């Protein structure tokens, strides 16, 4: 039988075998690439399984700005992130929750159940692999970029095109370091205030997130009229200005007008979210309240004609 006749009679089988062989080779190559890229990932499920010989020199090279020169801190921070993610991977929610900073718990996850429902269950619904890299290290603020992938062994899916991106910052509490997750970078306390026409605005603190900043104010109204700090349909009326003159508006549309009203002869705690993401290049310098309504009741009677306003700037 000639080769041509053999091929003609069996060409479907021959091509099927060729396709199968090529597919197997493709899968093997994909798996090899997957594990090569994941070689830096933690294969440990708990902190007790961490390799004592592992170092974090490569992970400690900042992607944006700054550096960690201390080898001790490089190791301590790397182990802390590995420990946190290892606990999460091993379903040890209580242990992972115990590594959160007090501020992270207070602002985002006041209970372990809140942490489980709002963070843990949304990311660690299955076994994961991950890697991380220092993103920035400025003013004792250490932010790591973490990429969390589906684990090949548990899902059977090769490749790392899809992943969850998370930022974890390391903060010092007393003699220990803790982690911030959920986009929270750090908390800054202030002791700055400004007063005009019987209205005093104090900046108490700010919570800096990767995508926005929340400022906490104490507003004292020593006048006999109810006041309004700004109009929710005019986000320009309250803004934060950085040291390069950039202005970032308040997200007042997310609030109701009552949030910004301070009664006569009273003090009120107010928090306002600003559309200013965390930056390693600039610093906030002042907060401008450009259109404070001095008599809210008169304003309500004729909003279009009302003009009795005051501007207050608080330097930080």
């Amino acid at each position: 039988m000639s080769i041509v006749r053999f091929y003609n009679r069996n060409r479907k089988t021959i091509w099927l075998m060729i396709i199968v062989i090529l597919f197997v080779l493709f899968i093997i190559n994909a798996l090899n690439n997957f594990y090569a890229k994941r070689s830096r990932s933690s294969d440990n499920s708990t902190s007790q399984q961490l390799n004592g010989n592992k170092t974090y020199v490569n992970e400690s090279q900042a992607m944006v700005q700054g550096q960690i020169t201390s080898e001790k801190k490089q190791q301590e921070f790397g182990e802390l992130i590995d420990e946190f993610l290892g606990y999460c991977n091993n379903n040890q929610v209580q242990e992972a929750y115990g590594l959160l900073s007090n501020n992270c718990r207070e602002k985002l996850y006041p209970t372990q159940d809140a942490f489980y429902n709002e963070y843990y269950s949304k990311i660690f619904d299955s076994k994961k692999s991950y890697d991380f890299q220092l993103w920035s290290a400025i003013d004792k603020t250490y932010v790591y970029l973490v990429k969390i992938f589906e684990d090949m062994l548990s899902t059977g899916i090769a490749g790392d095109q899809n992943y969850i991106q998370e930022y974890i910052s390391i903060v010092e509490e007393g003699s220990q370091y803790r982690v911030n997750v959920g986009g929270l970078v750090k908390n800054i306390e202030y002791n700055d205030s400004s007063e005009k026409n019987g209205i005093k605005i104090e900046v108490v603190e700010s919570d800096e997130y990767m995508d926005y900043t929340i400022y906490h104010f104490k507003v004292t109204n020593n006048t006999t009229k109810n006041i309004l700090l700004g109009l929710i349909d005019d986000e320009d009326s309250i803004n934060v200005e950085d040291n390069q003159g950039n202005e970032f508006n308040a997200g007042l549309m997310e609030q109701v007008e009552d949030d910004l009203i301070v009664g006569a002869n009273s003090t009120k705690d107010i928090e306002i979210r600003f559309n200013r993401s965390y930056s390693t290049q600039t610093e906030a310098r002042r907060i401008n309240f450009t259109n404070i309504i001095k008599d809210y009741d008169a304003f309500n009677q004729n909003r279009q004609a009302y003009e009795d306003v005051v501007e207050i700037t608080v330097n930080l």
Side-chain angles (χ1 to χ4, degrees), residues 46-72:
T46 66
S47 61
Q48 287 78 11
Q49 293 173 312
L50 292 175
N51 183 349
N53 295 323
K54 181 176 180 179
T55 61
Y56 297 89
V57 176
N58 292 331
E59 291 86 348
S60 301
Q61 307 305 309
M63 301 169 63
V64 176
Q65 189 177 8
Q67 60 181 334
I68 302 176
T69 57
S70 168
E71 293 183 3
K72 180 180 179 182

Side-chain angles (χ1 to χ4, degrees), residues 197-212:
N197 293 1
I199 302 170
K200 182 179 181 181
I201 301 178
E202 301 175 68
V203 184
V204 179
E205 63 178 353
S206 69
D207 298 310
E208 296 202 12
Y209 293 81
M210 290 301 298
D211 298 325
Y212 58 90

Side-chain angles (χ1 to χ4, degrees), residues 39-51:
S39 61
R40 291 189 304 159
S41 299
S42 170
D43 294 324
N44 307 302
S45 58
T46 66
S47 61
Q48 287 78 11
Q49 293 173 312
L50 292 175
N51 183 349

